[in-house]
Amino acid sequence: MASEADSPKRPPRTSVWLEGKPATRPRRTDRGERGERGGLADPTPTPTSASTPAPALTTGEAAKGATPKAGAEQPPLLDRDRITTVSVRLLDAEGSAKFSMRRLAAELGVTAMSLYWYVDTKDDLLELALDAVFGEVRVPELTDETADWRDQLRELAVSYRSLLVRHPWVSPLIGKYLNIGPSSRAFSSAVLAVMGRTGLAPHGRMGAVSAVFQFVYGFGTIEGHFVQRCVEAGLTQDEYHRHAMGSIHEQPDVKRAFENAEELMEARGGETVEEMRERDFTFALDLMIAGIEAMRERG
Amino acid sequence: MASEADSPKRPPRTSVWLEGKPATRPRRTDRGERGERGGLADPTPTPTSASTPAPALTTGEAAKGATPKAGAEQPPLLDRDRITTVSVRLLDAEGSAKFSMRRLAAELGVTAMSLYWYVDTKDDLLELALDAVFGEVRVPELTDETADWRDQLRELAVSYRSLLVRHPWVSPLIGKYLNIGPSSRAFSSAVLAVMGRTGLAPHGRMGAVSAVFQFVYGFGTIEGHFVQRCVEAGLTQDEYHRHAMGSIHEQPDVKRAFENAEELMEARGGETVEEMRERDFTFALDLMIAGIEAMRERG
DNA sequence: ACCTGAACACCGTTCAAGT
DNA sequence: ACCTGAACACCGTTCAAGT
């Protein structure tokens, strides 16, 4: 209806993957660099770096580029993969609140402005970091025709959840960008493929995908935030939980409102906060699968 | 296990509602003010202010406090409710990226530092804004014993979703804070109450709550971001969708990966982006309810 | 081709001071 | 009791300049 002429702005940037700077530029170096489009930016397992509050991190990478020998034709100090990898490490270690172009540049032993040679904006950089961590998601063997779709769905859900918990900064970005980088797409394709094996009619598949993975997204988001809070406070999850409950009980009116919730917590059983969460997650996933089976019967 | 002595920091602030500045301070004015603890901060329906891109907003409130008559004992320019209400309006109109203490202060006709008389930090302020919008959620009539829990659950889910879409800035905050303000708690209580009427065994209720409302959270988050993008671009949702698809098709490798997804979109049916989303949401909610019924039978 | 320094227009927050 | 001005330590990004 509305003509394009009266649109107040030009159509917006949609994604690094569509309109950003090219991943690599033509360059005259003799080492065959890895950086072709879609390089998954170092899929190291990233062994829960959130658990250590970033010790000697501040001077780690900086040394490498500290002494630029004058004279010889030097290779560039940076490339997109290195920028992306270090971004992920920094985001994991210090959280998104402390992540800045200047902080990242310092970590790379370079000034902030150098980064703009490789990315257009901070948003583009975050989109790259986002796709990089999606490379960590374990995708089930999709060619196996005999496998149970329930197992495959559970595997994807568990893997997605642990991604969100390992990298709490990821969750807001998933909402913000289109998630069309190569690793994000590999994940989405796997989800759709598995859903295709449920026996659900095509018109319901997208709804079922939403049900399962928006649930995992929400669950993992809240869980990740809580875990991060605990790490920052230097408390275990149970300690933090007790601390928060203690604070609540000091406020009589708030306390009353929480008695219901606490009864329910008793009923849930389990010793630790983690155990209870585990139970809830498993139950919810079983509920979804039962729901898919029921909807399948209805056509 | 870990003794409290070696904890590196003092226990952290948990919430405005527990440790922040008191909502009102003792003051010597003769008008009986409303601001006792738990005031719901103006539950005006906020008629989807996201749809108008903030026209004369910049000078709206500022005029009110512009001419402070010297002499007479003046009432304070600010109070918590007014700060909260204007924060919500500003966040709706301009998005969280542009929201700052300085911007808010300007809107209130005051300097940024005045705000710190009423809140400790920007985080506290956002926590207040968050609880204020939770006051918009329609809670079903819980005393009605004859009502179907399915209808009540759907009502809560629909209302929660529309909250997240009307206020896209809310979603990250829900992950960030404990959500123990009065309106947040009213919502949680309602959710638990309805879940109590499903016939689900107590140990499964929390899992079922997670399933349904983390799903809605994820769904509403993504939807809200998309709607916001469209508003900012000055495009309808369909126009934006076509624009993004157009961009994708210019990238041959990306295009291939999307052909699956587009087939599925055809299968979903529906004319507009909104219609398809509506279908998916309804289907997912039906799936959840079917899942609850199935889990109920298993004990 | 790749990187830097200086500058612009912002942030949240503290602190001492005003009325 | 309530509000301000100046200042601190930051931001993302642009632009002209260096090698």
Side-chain angles (χ1 to χ4, degrees), chain A residues 215-227:
Chain A
F215 153 69
V216 178
Y217 172 75
F219 196 97
T221 299
I222 306 299
E223 183 181 2
H225 269 292
F226 185 72
V227 169

Side-chain angles (χ1 to χ4, degrees), chain A residues 113-144:
Chain A
M113 305 77 214
S114 320
L115 298 170
Y116 288 94
W117 184 258
Y118 298 91
V119 291
D120 278 334
T121 62
K122 190 188 184 187
D123 269 337
D124 281 7
L125 180 53
L126 290 172
E127 223 181 328
L128 292 170
L130 175 60
D131 199 65
V133 293
F134 259 105
E136 297 169 13
V137 177
R138 265 175 52 79
V139 167
E141 191 50 70
L142 294 171
T143 52
D144 182 359

Side-chain angles (χ1 to χ4, degrees), chain B residues 139-147 152 156 186-187 189-195 197:
Chain B
V139 168
E141 193 50 70
L142 294 170
T143 52
D144 182 359
E145 299 283 342
T146 66
Q152 296 182 318
L156 280 169
F187 175 68
S189 303
V191 168
L192 288 176
V194 170
M195 210 49 93
R197 302 186 59 234

Side-chain angles (χ1 to χ4, degrees), chain B residues 110-133:
Chain B
V110 110
T111 66
M113 303 78 212
S114 320
L115 298 170
Y116 289 93
W117 184 259
Y118 298 91
V119 291
D120 278 334
T121 63
K122 190 188 184 189
D123 269 338
D124 280 7
L125 181 53
L126 290 172
E127 222 181 330
L128 292 170
L130 175 59
D131 199 65
V133 293

Side-chain angles (χ1 to χ4, degrees), chain A residues 188-210, chain B residues 241 245 256-270 276-277 279-280 283:
Chain A
S188 305
S189 303
V191 168
L192 289 176
V194 170
M195 210 49 93
R197 302 185 59 233
T198 57
L200 221 46
H203 73 267
R205 279 182 209 161
M206 229 27 186
V209 166
S210 273
Chain B
H241 185 257
M245 285 301 159
R256 239 179 297 110
F258 266 80
E259 270 154 18
N260 270 338
E262 283 181 68
E263 281 167 32
L264 205 60
M265 272 192 24
E266 303 295 322
R268 253 191 312 186
M276 290 191 299
R277 222 191 348 247
R279 255 171 230 231
D280 291 345
F283 186 92

Side-chain angles (χ1 to χ4, degrees), chain A residues 57 147 261:
Chain A
L57 219 166

